[in-house]
Amino acid sequence: MATAEIKSEEKGIERAASKIGLNLEIVPLDDIKNFSHPDCTPSDLVNRKFGIPGVAEPVALIEAGENSRLILRKTAYNGVTVAVAVNEV
């Protein structure tokens, strides 16, 4: 499970990772700023607020590694946005 450093201290994310028994990986903003992938859908709101093209999709793809792809595009529910990526290797 991963998130951007801007979300790293949100207690809900920490609790969710702990509850399902996953480590919470934190992706630096510079990694997201320098990341490009055809599957990512940019967010004007996130770009205006944080200066990055998105959070959920880029973070999922970065953590999944090279040759990864989204199996769940960013999906929001009750104020929480998630995306899921898998590595094709």
Side-chain angles (χ1 to χ4, degrees), residues 14-56:
E14 293 173 354
R15 282 193 302 270
S18 177
K19 187 170 185 169
I20 58 179
L22 295 174
N23 291 328
L24 180 59
E25 302 296 329
I26 306 300
V27 177
L29 288 183
D30 284 341
D31 289 0
I32 299 169
K33 284 179 187 175
N34 297 320
F35 183 76
S36 178
H37 193 285
D39 286 352
C40 289
T41 308
S43 167
D44 290 336
L45 173 68
V46 172
N47 194 21
R48 280 193 312 273
K49 193 168 183 181
F50 302 111
I52 56 176
V55 174

Side-chain angles (χ1 to χ4, degrees), residues 49-77:
K49 193 168 183 181
F50 302 111
I52 56 176
V55 174
E57 292 174 341
V59 165
L61 289 161
I62 289 168
E63 283 300 307
E66 288 187 43
N67 302 312
S68 60
R69 66 180 178 88
L70 291 172
I71 59 171
L72 176 67
R73 291 192 172 276
K74 65 181 177 182
T75 302
Y77 180 76

